Amino acid sequence: MKQSEAFLQCQSCKKILFSIDFDQNLRVCTYCGHHHRISAETRIKWTFDEDSFEELDTDLRSGNPLEFPDYIDKLRLAEEKTQKFDSMTVGRAKLAEMPVSIAVADFSFMGGSMGSVNGEKVTRALERGVKEKCPVIIFCASGGARMQEGLLSLMQMAKTTAAVQQCREAGIPYIAVFTDPTMAGVLASYASVADVIIAEPKALVGFAGARVSKQAGVSKVPDDFQTAEFCLKHGMIDTIVPRKEMRSVLISLVKTLGGHLFVEGGAK
Amino acid sequence: MKQSEAFLQCQSCKKILFSIDFDQNLRVCTYCGHHHRISAETRIKWTFDEDSFEELDTDLRSGNPLEFPDYIDKLRLAEEKTQKFDSMTVGRAKLAEMPVSIAVADFSFMGGSMGSVNGEKVTRALERGVKEKCPVIIFCASGGARMQEGLLSLMQMAKTTAAVQQCREAGIPYIAVFTDPTMAGVLASYASVADVIIAEPKALVGFAGARVSKQAGVSKVPDDFQTAEFCLKHGMIDTIVPRKEMRSVLISLVKTLGGHLFVEGGAK
Amino acid sequence: MSAKTHNEWESELIELEKFIVNAKERARKEQVASDKALLEDQIVKLEVGRDKFLKALYSNVGDWEKVLIARAEKRPYTLDYVTALFQDFVELQGDRNGFADNAIIGGPATFDGRPVMIVGHQKGRNIHERQFRNFAMAKPEGYRKAIRLFEMAERYQMPVISLVDTPAADPGVESESRGISEAIAASTMKMFELSVPSIAVIIGEGGSGGAIGIAAASRVLMLQYSVYSVIPPEGCAAILWRMPERGAEAARALKLTAESAQSFGLIDEILPEPIGGAHRTPIEAFATVKDAIVKHLAELDKMSPAEVRADRFAKFRKMGEFETVLF
Amino acid sequence: MSAKTHNEWESELIELEKFIVNAKERARKEQVASDKALLEDQIVKLEVGRDKFLKALYSNVGDWEKVLIARAEKRPYTLDYVTALFQDFVELQGDRNGFADNAIIGGPATFDGRPVMIVGHQKGRNIHERQFRNFAMAKPEGYRKAIRLFEMAERYQMPVISLVDTPAADPGVESESRGISEAIAASTMKMFELSVPSIAVIIGEGGSGGAIGIAAASRVLMLQYSVYSVIPPEGCAAILWRMPERGAEAARALKLTAESAQSFGLIDEILPEPIGGAHRTPIEAFATVKDAIVKHLAELDKMSPAEVRADRFAKFRKMGEFETVLF
Ligand SMILES: [Zn+2]
Ligand SMILES: [Zn+2]
């Protein structure tokens, strides 16, 4: 959103909003309900128990295994902009005192694309759930696999999906939240095989980019194509939850699906 | 088919056929390929190894638990006509020397409807596969559950389906062949959860009778609605196999899917 | 001639109740104290009469009348039970195969302090709701969603509570093309796979295959005025006599009552309804259903996962009535 | 300027081969013995030339040319391997959810005297076949059929052989509406569940998500001139430079060759192709693939079911290249 001191403009309806109201409303437009993208830090603050987040795996950094043209420059630029090494922030957190392993994506780092570091962090977040016997929650935001790491990126799809299988095997519930956008290689791997899939309203969710669909000669495209609402109608997600209700819905799900992991007052 | 000594008429294209040719062609019309209904005995003779069939559970006979109007009369009539107590013939047989547990339905006994005896025989055939570690093959032909046994008939759906689950659990392959017609309560239970589903060409296969579909206000019905071909197009069956190739396809399937059950020269 | 709807069957009672309401309204407005006292006196008598009538009507409910009560639009539906008996319910939607169904709903919830998985048919109360719920006739995607929820229940060790209330599975062309039969069979089979306890409560109509797809449970309970049948009585009458209007006769022939189901060993318990039916005093019906589920869960909790499975198989394995002929 | 098709790249060779065929025809028809001998002499020389040219052309195949060979319409497809290497194959169809797919085929068969389950992408050789096979771009139902076959393989202890040859999964509106992403992910996940050994052979194009859905196997083998990529080179060029025609450049950047995949530890073995490629001497390619599968199955046979699973997880768990920063 374009920001000019005390005011800003909604990206969707273009109406002018007070910055203070906007933040208090969790960056959801009070006029049209548009859910603007937010950083991983903000997401974590607004979702999990206060000060409960402990970040992990911050030491992983992408190399340039393929020596792909311009990749290192793009990486360094993103690192500088975000002060992070990757779009994925992972670690331990709590929801109403219940421990959870989390991974939260930030689209602003190279479009949340999944390379080796991204895949590794998601895998570790899922494995942490298995090791520490707590539910896993992943907030997705990604344009897809990271082209610049070639087949290594494609294999992150298999690696992360394998980690979901191990969660299932171990009885660890895994909840995915699709935020705007959740696409391609991420959607076609760990994101879509969550036990429960929640989406934020109007989030873009799809397999093929608009360009590919167009190339494929797709003519009639429904108005709501590749939105959360389209996915719900087609049975691909469980529910659409506005940002302000996200925390309470997640608490209910962790409490019920994760019930077997908890005893009164903490993890078993 | 109307029979008059040496000639008969195809039920589908109405052309006149020689009785001898007709039997040699496994009661498939040489003109239009229509697969006429055949008795369980004929089916067994044409499908399994010569003289390999050993019939079992012939002692089960329907009562009239609900004291349903006219039920006993209808039963006795069917018994007299077919010299059997039920549409289902079950027992042990062999396919290229490999032992199989079989159940073969005969539509001419009260439309192959599934009452307590029918469900019990199917269940025993499936259980025999588990006990004797051999694949199960069921030839289906049924109009559905037997109304005259009320809720007892409905529970045969659950009972037979449970027996299929036990086959899966025990690693016993189960192949269903849909012959004309395979409908309603039978289709919505043990028939549809077979590992492999084969249909005879043009067999009627569906959930709701034409009357029900009409009552439900169904207007546009595809030409091939509720046929084997419709099911194949919609991914609900594996393959359509003409009667004359049935034996060889079944042999391949029993050999591959049942491979773990057999060692050279017989069952493990 | 049999009543055609629940409202028709209860019509005198409904008239009486309306009359009482009107009388109360008149009494409230009456200014003259003596007239008011007279009216109030009448109302007490009317209420005694109403109670007697109600008791008489419900002391002898025929098979067909049970069909009417089971279908009554005032009867508590699945979501009414969910609201009354469960906490933390999150509705999970979709078959993850391209389709969503509103005739079967489900999701995890807390029941009596423990996590459970709920699956149930949902009817609608007005024309808009009824269409949205497809008259509680589930399509394949409804059963496939149920399968997904059953699998989750198994993975996360949650007992399954299913609430059955459907006239039948959806018989349309679309359902047929997406394999409604397979979906029902696969859902039934999945219920047998479970090693977590499952309890099915027939709260209204237990309509043939549409019901069994979510009713193959460790324990099957029926509310007193619910029905459970292999075919709707009208359908049976249409086949037998080509006269769907002879439904009352067919209802008797089909023995679709809870008593009959219990006598054949097909259900585990009949849950008594308050006088006048679950719709007249829902809070009592909720309490009855809750207590029954608590009781049966407590019994099932004593079993190991393997025992839960074996118990369920054994229960259904026995179902059927036939003779054995000696040769 | 790079060649755009395999035929274009091989054009001189193809011309030469045509010329030789014509010369042979002329020689056959030639009546004058001395002229015939002269012609035959020339043919021998031409064939020696052809062989040299062929060797030269295939001794230095660039990354883009591998893309062209991998896509060649003369290249052996899945069903060619099935016919050549397997017996008792019965094609099993349908996702049992309402849809059938012809871009992925599969079914049980006998291989080297033992039962196996085959799953593979199928391309078409003429326009009719290509449309029927949807250009080997599988829809959700293709992956859901694969899942069904994988489950059967697990139940009946049959190793899985998958043959990978797809440009990509189908990107259309229908596929999107039925959840192509979920289908790919679920199929990939199912492959990790298997405790039976699995072997994937990339026989042509290993196209991104469309490939991985059936390629998460215990062993992944690549034919020498097959390619395996996160994105088609044209798509990569379109994103990077908005110029899909710079595919050859993108092909080099993407490192989509078997050598590269092996150097990153992402595949287990490169299967050498005969000189001139698998399409020129299919019988040799079939033998190579057969021997490789036999060898790898023999190794995997030594593992227990639990070891098979653990081995597969460990193999994919290691994939990825990154730095660890010390603070
Ligand atoms: Zn707005
Ligand atoms: Zn004919």
Coordinates of all heavy atoms in Angstrom, one line a residue, chain B residues 9-15 17 28-34 36, ligand 2:
Chain B
Q9 N -33.6 -64.9 -30.7 CA -33.5 -63.5 -31.1 C -32.7 -62.7 -30.1 O -32.8 -62.9 -28.9 CB -35.0 -62.9 -31.1 CG -35.1 -61.7 -31.9 CD -36.5 -61.1 -31.9 OE1 -37.3 -61.4 -31.0 NE2 -36.8 -60.3 -32.9
C10 N -31.8 -61.9 -30.6 CA -31.0 -61.1 -29.8 C -31.8 -60.1 -29.0 O -32.7 -59.4 -29.6 CB -29.9 -60.3 -30.6 SG -29.1 -59.0 -29.6
Q11 N -31.6 -59.9 -27.7 CA -32.5 -59.0 -26.9 C -32.2 -57.6 -27.3 O -33.1 -56.7 -27.0 CB -32.2 -59.2 -25.4 CG -32.8 -60.5 -24.9 CD -32.8 -60.5 -23.4 OE1 -32.0 -59.9 -22.8 NE2 -33.8 -61.1 -22.8
S12 N -31.1 -57.3 -27.9 CA -30.8 -55.9 -28.1 C -31.1 -55.5 -29.6 O -31.9 -54.7 -29.8 CB -29.3 -55.6 -27.8 OG -28.9 -54.3 -28.1
C13 N -30.4 -56.2 -30.5 CA -30.6 -55.8 -31.9 C -31.8 -56.5 -32.6 O -32.1 -56.2 -33.8 CB -29.3 -55.9 -32.7 SG -28.9 -57.6 -33.1
K14 N -32.3 -57.5 -31.9 CA -33.5 -58.3 -32.4 C -33.2 -59.2 -33.6 O -34.1 -59.7 -34.2 CB -34.7 -57.4 -32.7 CG -35.0 -56.4 -31.6 CD -35.6 -57.1 -30.4 CE -35.9 -56.0 -29.3 NZ -36.0 -56.7 -27.9
K15 N -31.9 -59.3 -34.0 CA -31.6 -60.2 -35.1 C -31.7 -61.6 -34.7 O -31.7 -62.0 -33.5 CB -30.2 -59.9 -35.6 CG -30.0 -58.6 -36.3 CD -29.1 -58.7 -37.5 CE -29.1 -57.4 -38.3 NZ -28.2 -56.3 -37.7
L17 N -30.6 -65.4 -34.3 CA -29.3 -66.1 -34.2 C -29.5 -67.6 -34.1 O -30.5 -68.1 -33.6 CB -28.6 -65.7 -32.9 CG -28.3 -64.1 -32.7 CD1 -28.1 -63.8 -31.3 CD2 -27.2 -63.7 -33.6
V28 N -23.0 -64.0 -26.6 CA -22.8 -62.7 -27.0 C -23.3 -62.6 -28.4 O -22.9 -63.4 -29.3 CB -21.3 -62.3 -26.9 CG1 -21.1 -60.9 -27.5 CG2 -20.8 -62.4 -25.5
C29 N -24.1 -61.6 -28.7 CA -24.7 -61.5 -30.1 C -23.6 -61.3 -31.1 O -22.7 -60.4 -30.9 CB -25.7 -60.4 -30.2 SG -26.3 -60.0 -31.8
T30 N -23.5 -62.0 -32.1 CA -22.5 -61.9 -33.1 C -22.7 -60.6 -34.0 O -21.7 -60.1 -34.6 CB -22.4 -63.1 -34.1 OG1 -23.8 -63.5 -34.4 CG2 -21.7 -64.2 -33.5
Y31 N -23.9 -60.1 -34.0 CA -24.2 -58.9 -34.7 C -23.8 -57.6 -33.9 O -23.0 -56.8 -34.4 CB -25.6 -58.8 -35.2 CG -26.0 -60.0 -36.1 CD1 -26.7 -61.1 -35.7 CD2 -25.6 -59.9 -37.5 CE1 -27.0 -62.1 -36.5 CE2 -25.9 -61.0 -38.3 CZ -26.6 -62.1 -37.9 OH -26.9 -63.1 -38.7
C32 N -24.4 -57.5 -32.7 CA -24.3 -56.2 -32.0 C -23.4 -56.3 -30.8 O -23.1 -55.3 -30.1 CB -25.6 -55.7 -31.6 SG -26.4 -56.6 -30.3
G33 N -22.9 -57.5 -30.5 CA -22.0 -57.7 -29.3 C -22.7 -57.6 -28.0 O -22.1 -57.6 -26.9
H34 N -24.1 -57.7 -28.0 CA -24.8 -57.6 -26.7 C -24.5 -58.9 -25.9 O -24.5 -60.0 -26.3 CB -26.3 -57.6 -27.0 CG -27.1 -57.5 -25.7 ND1 -27.2 -56.3 -25.0 CD2 -27.9 -58.4 -25.1 CE1 -28.0 -56.5 -23.9 NE2 -28.4 -57.8 -24.0
H36 N -25.7 -61.2 -23.3 CA -26.9 -61.7 -22.7 C -26.6 -62.2 -21.3 O -25.5 -62.7 -21.0 CB -27.6 -62.7 -23.5 CG -28.2 -62.2 -24.8 ND1 -27.4 -61.9 -25.9 CD2 -29.4 -61.8 -25.1 CE1 -28.1 -61.4 -26.9 NE2 -29.4 -61.3 -26.4
Ligands
ZN2 ZN -27.6 -58.3 -31.2

